Amino acid sequence: MTFIRTAAVACLLCVVAACATPSTESATGPGRQAPPAATALPPQPPAPVATPVPNSVSQPAPVARVDVTPSAPAPATAPVAPKPQPAKPASKPEKPVATNAASAAAKPADSNKATGTSVSGKLELVAAGRDGIVPGELADGLVYFLPKSGMTRPKPGTFTVETRSKGFLPSVLVVPVGSTVRFPNRDSILHNVFSRTPGSTFDSGFYGPGQVKQQVFSKPGLVIVNCNVHHNMRADVVVLATPHFTRPDRNGRYSLSGLPAGAGTLVFWHPRAQAQSVAVTLPMQGAVTRKLSATKPSRHDTTTRR
């Protein structure tokens, strides 16, 4: 028994020794050195390959989203804008028709006012003293209309009366109330401009060649202007509170249009005569003629009057 056990142990030791011997040879042999080198290389390539893959995948995603978002609304708004325009032509013909109908209804009323509120006639002047009537002297006259109610106040302005050749030019001037009249000295001598008309008195004093004096006329009526240096100088400034006036022609014919309908007064005036008033109601038919008596002396220089 003892022998057998010893033999078994010895065999077992031989087997172990035999197995240990070939493993040592294969490890040290030249042909067996490749496997350990191959196992050392695989861990290096995964590291560089794994790093670029996630970066390259995440970058194109935002670029694609930005390009798609702005391009979508642009074509959507372009076709929508012109679509409501075709509907407008249908409503356009209706609007002008209503407007034209309203204006057509209003035009007859306006035209009736313009044509139905006009008056015309003639201003006549008869000599009552030594002086006769000078041809063209009727153009110095004035015809104006004063409505009984609803009169429009005229707009004031700036006018000029020159002192020239020891006289006033023009010698008759019609201005709206509140207007300013300039008096430039066009002579080479001194002049003076003053008035003693009640309610419109003023005195500019003496002023030389090239100088200008001016005066505001704020009260309606006739204002007689004279010169202290030359007593024969006279200018008639007629201040009116109505915009409805006219000057007759050389033969005395006149025409007033665009007058307000209703009752009022038609006034005829001339610097040589007393003014006359005629009550009228507009619109009216027929001419209105008035004959004035020339009781004041005539102004010899009729060529300088305006």
Side-chain angles (χ1 to χ4, degrees):
M1 293 293 290
T2 305
F3 176 77
I4 295 171
R5 289 178 182 175
T6 303
V9 171
C11 291
L12 180 61
L13 290 175
C14 291
V15 172
V16 172
C19 293
T21 300
S23 60
T24 304
E25 292 176 357
S26 60
T28 56
R32 301 292 182 175
Q33 294 178 357
T39 56
L41 291 175
Q44 295 179 357
V49 172
T51 303
V53 168
N55 292 338
S56 60
V57 173
S58 59
Q59 289 177 357
V63 174
R65 290 176 185 176
V66 173
D67 295 338
V68 173
T69 304
S71 59
T77 54
V80 174
K83 286 183 179 179
Q85 293 180 356
K88 291 182 179 179
S91 60
K92 282 183 179 179
E94 297 177 358
K95 290 181 180 179
V97 170
T99 304
N100 294 337
S103 61
K107 283 181 180 178
D110 296 339
S111 61
N112 288 338
K113 286 183 179 180
T115 58
T117 56
S118 62
V119 62
S120 60
K122 189 175 182 181
L123 170 65
E124 297 180 355
L125 190 62
V126 180
R130 297 180 181 178
D131 297 333
I133 306 301
V134 179
E137 194 174 6
L138 288 171
D140 288 339
L142 173 67
V143 181
Y144 59 94
F145 178 71
L146 299 173
K148 188 175 181 179
S149 61
M151 182 170 61
T152 303
R153 190 177 182 87
K155 184 179 180 180
T158 301
F159 302 84
T160 300
V161 175
E162 297 180 353
T163 58
R164 186 186 296 273
S165 301
K166 300 180 181 181
F168 288 112
L169 181 67
S171 60
V172 178
L173 180 68
V174 182
V175 300
V177 63
S179 296
T180 301
V181 179
R182 302 172 68 255
F183 297 92
N185 186 352
R186 305 302 187 193
D187 283 333
S188 58
I189 57 177
L190 291 176
H191 276 297
N192 167 267
V193 177
F194 78 98
S195 176
R196 294 178 180 173
T197 304
S200 300
T201 60
F202 68 92
D203 192 340
S204 66
F206 299 105
Y207 60 106
Q211 294 182 328
V212 179
K213 298 293 183 178
Q214 65 181 28
Q215 180 66 28
V216 177
F217 293 83
S218 56
K219 183 179 179 180
L222 172 63
V223 180
I224 300 175
V225 181
N226 299 104
C227 176
N228 270 332
V229 181
H230 309 92
H231 300 287
N232 292 330
M233 292 177 59
R234 171 175 169 168
D236 292 342
V237 179
V238 184
V239 185
L240 296 181
T242 174
H244 311 295
F245 70 91
T246 186
R247 304 288 295 275
D249 61 13
R250 291 173 54 89
N251 298 319
R253 292 187 295 266
Y254 74 91
S255 178
L256 274 171
S257 60
L259 306 178
T265 303
L266 200 61
V267 182
F268 297 83
W269 177 87
H270 194 276
R272 294 188 60 188
Q274 189 70 26
Q276 291 189 19
S277 301
V278 180
V280 296
T281 301
L282 303 178
M284 62 177 298
Q285 295 181 353
V288 180
T289 300
R290 272 297 176 271
K291 186 178 294 185
L292 304 182
S293 180
T295 57
K296 300 176 183 179
S298 175
R299 300 181 181 182
H300 58 88
D301 191 3
T302 60
T303 58
T304 58
R305 297 195 201 98
R306 294 180 184 175

